[in-house]
Amino acid sequence: MQRNATTQFPILLVHGLFGFDRIGGFELFHDIKQALRTGGARVFIPYLSATHSNETRGEQLLAQIDRVLAGTGTARVNLIGHGQGALAARYAAALAPDKVASVTSVSGPNHGSELADFLEKALTPGRLPGHVARSIATLFADFISLLNGQPQLPSAAVAALAALTTEGVGAFNDKYPQGLPKHWGGHGPEKVNGVRYYSWSGTLRESTDTEPEPLQVFCRAFSEYFITEAGQNDGLVGRFSSHLGKVIRSDYPMDHMEAINPGSGKACRGTDPTALYLRHAERLRKAGL
């Protein structure tokens, strides 16, 4: 059955760290943009810095929101941010709530990422045992190489990690607390300053693939560095760390990359990531957004 994704306001799909229109060999939001458009939605993908602070990326998003509003003649937009894109969306909504109808966080590190904490320690000399630091730093560098084709670890990537640590996001949350739960693992307020807040995320599913995709392999390798949310993460972001506003669900069986690229695995058993976006567009439409 064709879903009605005709929202009142345009949808902006906001990419996270290292995101452009394409990452590696695949298009960001693979099939999702087309499915939403087929369902009747007006969809745009803003172009933000691949690696930068949450506030800088948020300012870039605000400028592009203005362009979308001018081009479409609408008064507001619906922001759906993946990963760090959720933080940019939150920033834009906090500063310009009159231009943002809703913010939806998809696998967003709204309370920081344990992986970012560990990576920051690994990249700081003396913070971790040498062999552990080398192991995770090499893993991260290989991951970046897969995403953007660069064999070295970009210095901007190292700087951007600070914005995603528990401490970095904590400082961000002190300034922009809209939609945050008051208690760990809870729901946040669904509406703040006229902006609706939603979130969903996944956890690593049991893999039966005999030849898993490289991105799946990295997500599983990174998940080993989670402590507080061990077994409750998507490889890059913890389940409860992702909570914001109305939590639709935070344990869909999918890893961090499958949330924007359903074709990255041979099968995303138990859920269809594209369908999540279509159902959410219907949810926004029914809410008058």
Side-chain angles (χ1 to χ4, degrees):
M1 180 181 72
Q2 177 64 49
R3 292 189 176 274
N4 186 349
T6 310
T7 55
Q8 179 179 351
F9 304 115
I11 293 173
L12 274 64
L13 301 172
V14 188
H15 65 74
L17 191 66
F18 305 114
F20 291 105
D21 286 342
R22 290 181 177 272
I23 288 181
F26 66 85
E27 183 181 357
L28 277 185
F29 299 105
H30 181 72
D31 291 339
I32 294 167
K33 176 175 66 176
Q34 186 57 46
L36 287 170
R37 286 178 173 172
T38 299
R42 290 166 293 178
V43 184
F44 301 88
I45 300 181
Y47 185 90
L48 308 184
S49 293
T51 56
H52 222 305
S53 69
N54 301 320
E55 289 87 347
T56 297
R57 299 179 85 249
E59 285 292 335
Q60 295 170 350
L61 178 58
L62 280 170
Q64 296 190 53
I65 288 173
D66 285 339
R67 287 196 282 273
V68 170
L69 295 181
T72 60
T74 55
R76 307 174 82 185
V77 296
N78 292 302
L79 301 176
I80 301 180
H82 174 258
Q84 193 186 14
L87 303 180
R90 288 175 48 198
Y91 176 91
L95 267 65
D98 57 315
K99 299 177 182 179
V100 179
S102 69
V103 169
T104 302
S105 167
V106 177
S107 305
N110 294 303
H111 301 271
S113 168
E114 284 189 77
L115 177 63
D117 292 343
F118 210 93
L119 284 169
E120 186 180 50
K121 292 177 182 178
L123 297 172
T124 303
R127 292 290 301 278
L128 290 175
H131 69 285
V132 176
R134 284 191 297 274
S135 177
I136 190 171
T138 300
L139 180 65
F140 185 54
D142 289 346
F143 178 63
I144 303 311
S145 179
L146 176 66
L147 294 183
N148 65 12
Q150 299 295 324
Q152 74 280 3
L153 188 65
S155 59
V158 178
L161 279 176
L164 299 175
T165 61
T166 302
E167 181 180 359
V169 176
F172 177 84
N173 288 345
D174 288 342
K175 293 183 286 187
Y176 314 107
Q178 293 85 347
L180 290 173
K182 290 185 177 180
H183 306 288
W184 176 256
H187 290 242
E190 296 183 24
K191 192 173 185 179
V192 183
N193 296 333
V195 181
R196 298 287 185 98
Y197 288 86
Y198 305 90
S199 63
W200 79 74
S201 59
T203 56
L204 289 173
R205 59 185 172 84
E206 182 178 353
S207 177
T208 58
D209 295 338
T210 56
E211 296 182 7
E213 296 290 332
L215 290 172
Q216 291 177 293
V217 173
F218 278 109
C219 284
R220 293 198 169 277
F222 285 138
S223 72
E224 299 299 321
Y225 295 96
F226 283 76
I227 299 173
T228 302
E229 297 195 78
Q232 294 288 321
N233 63 80
D234 64 8
L236 275 74
V237 175
R239 171 186 178 183
F240 299 113
S241 298
S242 73
H243 284 198
L244 182 78
K246 178 179 175 60
V247 181
I248 297 165
R249 182 175 167 183
S250 58
D251 63 345
Y252 285 113
M254 62 184 183
D255 64 39
H256 192 78
M257 302 309 295
E258 287 170 330
I260 53 169
N261 180 45
S264 64
K266 293 181 174 59
C268 199
R269 297 170 182 82
T271 192
D272 176 358
T274 301
L276 299 183
Y277 290 83
L278 287 170
R279 288 203 296 269
H280 190 55
E282 283 194 335
R283 186 178 293 113
L284 297 175
R285 178 180 62 82
K286 290 176 180 177
L289 306 176

